Amino acid sequence: MTKVTCDMSVSIDGFTAGPNQSADKPFGDGPVDRLHQGEAITAGSAFIMGRNMFGPGRGEWDESWKGWWGDDPPYHAPVFVLTHHPREPVQMQGGTTFTFVTDGIEPALAQARAAAGGGDVAIAGGASTVNQYLAAGAIDELRLHVAPIVLGVGERLFDGVGPLALERVGVKATDLVTHLTYRVAR
Amino acid sequence: MTKVTCDMSVSIDGFTAGPNQSADKPFGDGPVDRLHQGEAITAGSAFIMGRNMFGPGRGEWDESWKGWWGDDPPYHAPVFVLTHHPREPVQMQGGTTFTFVTDGIEPALAQARAAAGGGDVAIAGGASTVNQYLAAGAIDELRLHVAPIVLGVGERLFDGVGPLALERVGVKATDLVTHLTYRVAR
């Protein structure tokens, strides 16, 4: 059965990115490299991401922008991008397709579920998108990858979400990062 | 050698207490009981706490207030309470003495170090006090006890502190709580 999962790299104080995202700085200002010292997290049969995770642009599309990841993005699966601005799907190498969804998080999830064909749907980020799905009670399993750093400013996981009860179902410590898996109670 | 430690029970989103503290609700509103499902954390040869951790009063002292903990508080050691309002020390049963420090966090730490006699000084809370000591670079070891709950509002650890680099030196999972120990880099 399809599970809705979410893997997020966070600082100890809950930030997933610094402020002031730009084309050169997908994760914004600050020591954000330390957030992403592990492997890229791309386990899912379909993905959903917010527009700001897809690119630094706002407003109407610059059609030449096809994500941060080059010709062969690491998703190798359908990716649904939440946006207010319509755009035709973009087919990349390696099985990644970016489909732009303008009618909200629930239709996006329905499309992703259908595309996942029984596999898991992964909410890829950023924090604002994850927070919307958490607030909607749509995430089954939240996997936090906690880097040993305090950022102090930026995009914050859980903002506007709580209160929420969780069940911790896994803990794993690697060299730098602490991996905490939570099941979200319904 | 004296280490400055800090044990804090926090929600996944970094809150140590809810809003609206009162005499009936030391930890404020919300499902804060779930923050404190483990044992009380009272390992230290001397303690420092903020006035709001000592009591719900603000402004001039109500001298009849002697803390939340009854006649025999769980500290069994000297406790230094940060306040803007002078008050004579209060001797409790079981070795706990509350000494009121009006000249700031550094003099309080100096007094606590002297009183600890080579043992550890524990910063007992709340969040605002811990954040001041973190910002001052005065805490050697931070032990977070992460409860599986999102609170959403309240007193937040790390507010105004970052950026800060840490080293994780311990991880322990108990039934409900995840215990993360960090050494604070200088």
Side-chain angles (χ1 to χ4, degrees):
Chain A
M1 208 190 76
T2 292
K3 219 169 28 179
V4 180
T5 66
C6 174
D7 283 272
M8 289 298 273
S9 293
V10 293
S11 63
I12 304 179
D13 53 341
F15 290 100
T16 63
N20 305 319
Q21 184 195 50
S22 68
D24 292 344
K25 298 179 294 184
F27 292 100
D29 289 333
V32 289
D33 289 353
R34 299 200 53 189
L35 276 184
H36 300 274
Q37 287 168 320
E39 72 289 4
I41 298 151
T42 52
S45 298
F47 294 84
I48 297 173
M49 64 176 62
R51 179 174 180 175
N52 298 1
M53 178 148 176
F54 180 71
R58 308 290 186 260
E60 293 303 318
W61 285 105
D62 166 4
E63 304 266 344
S64 69
W65 181 268
K66 296 178 178 178
W68 311 93
W69 305 277
D71 294 334
D72 186 5
Y75 299 103
H76 312 298
V79 178
F80 296 88
V81 180
L82 297 163
T83 171
H84 297 292
H85 299 273
R87 177 174 175 183
E88 289 301 307
V90 177
Q91 176 94 46
M92 307 298 289
Q93 291 172 22
T96 299
T97 310
F98 294 113
T99 300
F100 301 89
V101 180
T102 56
D103 48 357
I105 65 169
E106 286 177 22
L109 183 54
Q111 285 188 64
R113 279 182 189 278
D120 288 348
V121 173
I123 311 298
S128 161
T129 297
V130 173
N131 290 345
Q132 289 175 62
Y133 280 108
L134 280 172
I139 293 179
D140 300 305
E141 196 169 292
L142 181 62
R143 303 164 187 158
L144 301 182
H145 309 277
V146 184
I149 185 167
V150 174
L151 279 181
V153 287
E155 303 296 317
R156 198 165 215 165
L157 196 64
F158 298 122
D159 261 7
V161 169
L164 197 66
L166 303 161
E167 181 191 353
R168 194 202 56 223
V169 294
V171 179
K172 195 178 132 201
T174 54
D175 206 21
L176 288 163
V177 175
T178 312
H179 308 271
L180 304 175
T181 302
Y182 290 96
R183 191 171 296 141
V184 185
R186 300 297 181 136
Chain B
M1 206 190 77
T2 293
K3 218 169 29 181
V4 180
T5 67
C6 174
D7 284 271
M8 290 298 274
S9 293
V10 293
S11 63
I12 303 178
D13 54 341
F15 290 101
T16 62
N20 305 319
Q21 184 196 52
S22 67
D24 292 344
K25 298 179 293 183
F27 292 99
D29 288 336
V32 289
D33 288 353
R34 298 198 54 191
L35 278 184
H36 300 273
Q37 289 169 321
E39 73 289 3
I41 298 151
T42 50
S45 298
F47 295 84
I48 297 173
M49 63 176 61
R51 178 171 179 175
N52 298 1
M53 178 150 178
F54 180 72
R58 308 289 185 261
E60 293 302 316
W61 285 104
D62 166 4
E63 304 264 343
S64 69
W65 181 269
K66 296 178 179 179
W68 311 93
W69 304 276
D71 294 333
D72 185 6
Y75 298 102
H76 311 299
V79 177
F80 297 88
V81 179
L82 297 161
T83 171
H84 296 292
H85 299 272
R87 178 174 174 183
E88 289 300 307
V90 176
Q91 175 95 46
M92 307 296 289
Q93 290 172 22
T96 299
T97 311
F98 294 114
T99 300
F100 302 89
V101 180
T102 56
D103 48 357
I105 65 169
E106 287 177 21
L109 183 53
Q111 285 188 63
R113 279 184 189 278
D120 288 349
V121 173
I123 310 297
S128 161
T129 296
V130 173
N131 291 345
Q132 290 176 59
Y133 280 107
L134 281 172
I139 293 179
D140 300 304
E141 196 169 292
L142 180 63
R143 304 165 188 156
L144 300 182
H145 309 278
V146 184
I149 185 166
V150 174
L151 279 181
V153 287
E155 303 295 317
R156 198 164 215 166
L157 197 63
F158 298 121
D159 261 7
V161 169
L164 196 66
L166 304 161
E167 181 192 354
R168 193 203 56 222
V169 294
V171 179
K172 195 178 132 199
T174 55
D175 207 20
L176 289 162
V177 175
T178 313
H179 308 270
L180 304 175
T181 302
Y182 290 96
R183 192 170 297 141
V184 184
R186 300 297 179 133

